[in-house]
Amino acid sequence: AVVKVYPVPASDVVNIVLEDEMVSKNTIISIINSHGKVVQAQRSMGSRSIQLNVGRLLPGFYIVRIGSRNKVVNKSITIVR
């Protein structure tokens, strides 16, 4: 199974679908800018599908880091307007 992050590029919303082993109320999804700063973070609250509002982020490249108890996945996204 693979973590899916779409659409790429995104403008307002990014959808994340977690693989089964990462579904937990303690899974944390972070968006990290090109300077390594966390600009947005939230818990998945046990959901398999998460929608992130990225409408406030500046256009550019970001890393979406999904961290669960036993695994971390990084996916790159681009924000466009």
Side-chain angles (χ1 to χ4, degrees):
V2 176
V3 173
K4 294 179 187 158
V5 177
Y6 64 94
V8 177
S11 57
D12 295 317
V13 173
V14 171
N15 299 291
I16 299 169
V17 180
L18 300 177
E19 54 190 42
D20 290 340
E21 66 185 45
M22 296 188 81
V23 175
S24 162
K25 65 181 180 183
N26 295 318
T27 297
I28 296 179
I29 295 121
S30 305
I31 299 179
I32 301 162
N33 68 14
S34 59
H35 303 289
K37 181 180 180 206
V38 174
V39 293
Q40 190 171 323
Q42 70 182 61
R43 291 188 188 275
S44 68
M45 305 308 276
S47 296
R48 181 176 170 79
S49 296
I50 299 103
Q51 240 187 14
L52 300 178
N53 182 342
V54 295
R56 290 182 163 183
L57 298 180
L58 294 173
F61 296 99
Y62 295 85
I63 297 292
V64 177
R65 175 170 292 156
I66 303 115
S68 66
R69 188 182 54 182
N70 51 7
K71 189 171 188 176
V72 174
V73 174
N74 293 314
K75 296 280 189 175
S76 58
I77 60 167
T78 305
I79 305 295
V80 296
R81 296 284 179 265

